[in-house]
Amino acid sequence: MTRPHVGVVIPARNEEQLLPRCLAAVAAAVAALKGRVVPAEVSVAVVLDSCTDGSARAAAQAGRRLGLDLHLLQTDAGSVGAARHVGTAAMLGLGAQWIAVTDADTVVPAGWLVIQLGFADAGYELVLGTVEPDAADLSAEHLARWHAEHRLTEGHPHIHGANMAFSARAYTAAGGFEPLHVHEDVQLVSRIRAAGAGWTATDRMRAVTSGRLDGRVPAGFSGYLRRLGA
């Protein structure tokens, strides 16, 4: 059996404070793969998009400490869609057959990659995970409003760029991420589904993302939280 190659893609814009926590969670997910009969090779791309802080240094230090096969990429695109495209292209160039995507302000669970590859082994080419905001960042009332509007179950209706994965074949056939400032994840998922790829939406690999209200993509998750709390 061929050893699978997994690529993890993490766009980052001025995430010096949160990147080490994100990478530590990814490293734990990589370590969990060691128990598989055929362990995966995992490469991680952090795409530094228009960073003006110490994100590059923080990522490099964390990568060395955690023993990750870390690739630091630079872009001035100023677009999360473009950053995801750059990172995914780099991982495909290394021969990755499976791509897992998250964000620099997100903490994935230890079973993140194991669960994804389990779905891949069953024939799925797109896996959509769930995301919940960090309870430490929001008031109890604000958090309750968020949960009231989100169904965190198997077969959920949500699409989060901070927690999704797909096969190289499905991604390439769909044309990849578009250089959009928002909803690049929704657009890609729509095209993969339209192409007839097998997909699933699961709560088994729920991630926790920052609950800040002043995020790097104003119209993204932070903007939604801000409007929800208004």
Side-chain angles (χ1 to χ4, degrees):
M1 187 178 295
T2 304
R3 185 184 189 196
H5 189 169
V6 176
V8 177
V9 177
I10 308 169
R13 183 185 299 179
N14 291 342
E15 294 287 10
E16 178 181 3
Q17 299 301 317
L18 297 181
L19 256 173
R21 184 181 70 165
C22 170
L23 289 172
V26 169
V30 172
L33 284 175
K34 293 182 179 179
R36 288 174 60 93
V37 175
V38 182
E41 177 183 356
V42 183
S43 300
V44 180
V46 171
V47 186
L48 302 159
D49 185 7
S50 307
C51 290
T52 57
D53 68 348
S55 290
R57 180 181 63 254
Q61 290 175 348
R64 285 194 297 270
R65 182 178 71 255
L66 297 165
L68 291 171
D69 177 23
L70 183 66
H71 302 256
L72 294 180
L73 309 173
Q74 301 273 355
T75 179
D76 294 321
S79 156
V80 66
R84 292 196 203 281
H85 173 80
V86 167
T88 305
M91 295 296 94
L92 295 179
L94 291 177
Q97 299 119 334
W98 186 261
I99 303 294
V101 184
T102 189
D103 285 339
D105 66 341
T106 299
V107 174
V108 299
W112 192 53
L113 296 174
V114 171
I115 292 167
Q116 291 175 27
L117 291 186
F119 281 118
D121 290 344
Y124 292 96
E125 294 197 79
L126 171 66
V127 181
L128 305 175
T130 49
V131 167
E132 64 180 343
D134 191 332
D137 294 334
L138 300 172
S139 69
E141 180 184 6
H142 200 161
L143 189 63
R145 289 181 188 173
W146 188 90
H147 278 285
E149 294 197 5
H150 290 78
R151 182 161 58 89
L152 304 183
T153 61
E154 296 304 293
H156 66 83
H158 311 299
I159 298 173
H160 298 288
N163 192 4
M164 59 188 290
F166 40 80
S167 71
R169 190 211 68 80
Y171 178 81
T172 302
F177 283 113
E178 296 181 11
L180 303 174
H181 292 282
V182 68
H183 300 321
E184 79 294 336
D185 46 1
V186 175
Q187 293 292 330
L188 176 65
V189 168
S190 177
R191 283 181 274 118
I192 291 178
R193 287 170 170 172
W199 65 279
T200 188
T202 181
D203 187 43
R204 290 171 53 199
M205 56 183 210
R206 187 186 304 183
V208 176
T209 198
S210 169
R212 63 192 177 194
L213 305 182
D214 58 345
R216 305 301 183 256
V217 182
F221 193 78
S222 64
Y224 173 78
L225 288 175
R226 192 166 54 250
R227 292 188 298 275
L228 186 65

mmCIF file of all heavy atoms in Angstrom, residues 34 92 114 126 155 193 199 201 207 219 225:
data_model
loop_
_atom_site.group_PDB
_atom_site.id
_atom_site.type_symbol
_atom_site.label_atom_id
_atom_site.label_comp_id
_atom_site.label_asym_id
_atom_site.label_seq_id
_atom_site.Cartn_x
_atom_site.Cartn_y
_atom_site.Cartn_z
ATOM 1 N N LYS A 34 0.560 8.543 13.327
ATOM 2 C CA LYS A 34 1.637 7.558 13.429
ATOM 3 C C LYS A 34 1.125 6.171 13.769
ATOM 4 O O LYS A 34 1.793 5.169 13.510
ATOM 5 C CB LYS A 34 2.662 8.015 14.479
ATOM 6 C CG LYS A 34 3.427 9.268 14.070
ATOM 7 C CD LYS A 34 4.456 9.663 15.110
ATOM 8 C CE LYS A 34 5.230 10.892 14.677
ATOM 9 N NZ LYS A 34 6.231 11.297 15.691
ATOM 10 N N LEU A 92 0.490 20.564 -3.596
ATOM 11 C CA LEU A 92 0.311 19.699 -4.760
ATOM 12 C C LEU A 92 1.630 19.505 -5.491
ATOM 13 O O LEU A 92 1.928 18.420 -6.001
ATOM 14 C CB LEU A 92 -0.737 20.283 -5.710
ATOM 15 C CG LEU A 92 -2.174 20.375 -5.171
ATOM 16 C CD1 LEU A 92 -3.087 21.001 -6.215
ATOM 17 C CD2 LEU A 92 -2.695 19.002 -4.759
ATOM 18 N N VAL A 114 -6.650 12.030 11.113
ATOM 19 C CA VAL A 114 -7.056 10.619 11.138
ATOM 20 C C VAL A 114 -8.488 10.474 10.631
ATOM 21 O O VAL A 114 -8.796 9.592 9.809
ATOM 22 C CB VAL A 114 -6.928 10.043 12.560
ATOM 23 C CG1 VAL A 114 -7.549 8.648 12.629
ATOM 24 C CG2 VAL A 114 -5.472 9.988 12.990
ATOM 25 N N LEU A 126 -14.283 15.088 -0.402
ATOM 26 C CA LEU A 126 -14.462 16.378 0.245
ATOM 27 C C LEU A 126 -15.042 16.135 1.634
ATOM 28 O O LEU A 126 -16.043 15.441 1.779
ATOM 29 C CB LEU A 126 -15.412 17.263 -0.572
ATOM 30 C CG LEU A 126 -15.883 18.573 0.073
ATOM 31 C CD1 LEU A 126 -14.717 19.544 0.262
ATOM 32 C CD2 LEU A 126 -16.987 19.212 -0.772
ATOM 33 N N GLY A 155 -23.867 15.704 9.068
ATOM 34 C CA GLY A 155 -24.698 16.214 7.996
ATOM 35 C C GLY A 155 -25.023 17.690 8.122
ATOM 36 O O GLY A 155 -25.989 18.171 7.541
ATOM 37 N N ARG A 193 -18.782 19.870 -5.447
ATOM 38 C CA ARG A 193 -20.055 19.144 -5.397
ATOM 39 C C ARG A 193 -20.677 19.025 -6.783
ATOM 40 O O ARG A 193 -21.188 17.953 -7.163
ATOM 41 C CB ARG A 193 -21.021 19.869 -4.466
ATOM 42 C CG ARG A 193 -20.712 19.747 -2.980
ATOM 43 C CD ARG A 193 -21.593 20.704 -2.204
ATOM 44 N NE ARG A 193 -21.542 20.490 -0.773
ATOM 45 C CZ ARG A 193 -22.099 21.302 0.116
ATOM 46 N NH1 ARG A 193 -22.745 22.394 -0.290
ATOM 47 N NH2 ARG A 193 -22.026 21.050 1.407
ATOM 48 N N TRP A 199 -18.886 13.539 -1.011
ATOM 49 C CA TRP A 199 -18.544 14.449 0.065
ATOM 50 C C TRP A 199 -19.356 14.147 1.305
ATOM 51 O O TRP A 199 -20.371 13.457 1.253
ATOM 52 C CB TRP A 199 -18.767 15.905 -0.363
ATOM 53 C CG TRP A 199 -20.205 16.261 -0.637
ATOM 54 C CD1 TRP A 199 -20.912 16.017 -1.778
ATOM 55 C CD2 TRP A 199 -21.116 16.881 0.278
ATOM 56 N NE1 TRP A 199 -22.212 16.458 -1.646
ATOM 57 C CE2 TRP A 199 -22.365 17.008 -0.395
ATOM 58 C CE3 TRP A 199 -21.007 17.363 1.579
ATOM 59 C CZ2 TRP A 199 -23.475 17.576 0.207
ATOM 60 C CZ3 TRP A 199 -22.118 17.934 2.185
ATOM 61 C CH2 TRP A 199 -23.330 18.035 1.494
ATOM 62 N N ALA A 201 -20.317 15.973 5.452
ATOM 63 C CA ALA A 201 -20.212 17.048 6.440
ATOM 64 C C ALA A 201 -20.279 16.398 7.819
ATOM 65 O O ALA A 201 -21.228 15.675 8.124
ATOM 66 C CB ALA A 201 -21.348 18.052 6.257
ATOM 67 N N ALA A 207 -13.431 22.059 15.185
ATOM 68 C CA ALA A 207 -12.306 22.933 15.500
ATOM 69 C C ALA A 207 -12.793 24.139 16.297
ATOM 70 O O ALA A 207 -13.974 24.483 16.270
ATOM 71 C CB ALA A 207 -11.614 23.389 14.222
ATOM 72 N N ALA A 219 -15.274 40.782 6.502
ATOM 73 C CA ALA A 219 -16.546 40.194 6.089
ATOM 74 C C ALA A 219 -16.615 38.700 6.399
ATOM 75 O O ALA A 219 -17.589 38.043 6.053
ATOM 76 C CB ALA A 219 -16.763 40.421 4.590
ATOM 77 N N LEU A 225 -19.631 37.319 13.689
ATOM 78 C CA LEU A 225 -19.773 37.380 15.130
ATOM 79 C C LEU A 225 -20.129 38.789 15.599
ATOM 80 O O LEU A 225 -20.927 38.975 16.515
ATOM 81 C CB LEU A 225 -18.473 36.925 15.806
ATOM 82 C CG LEU A 225 -18.141 35.436 15.756
ATOM 83 C CD1 LEU A 225 -16.769 35.185 16.358
ATOM 84 C CD2 LEU A 225 -19.199 34.613 16.493
#
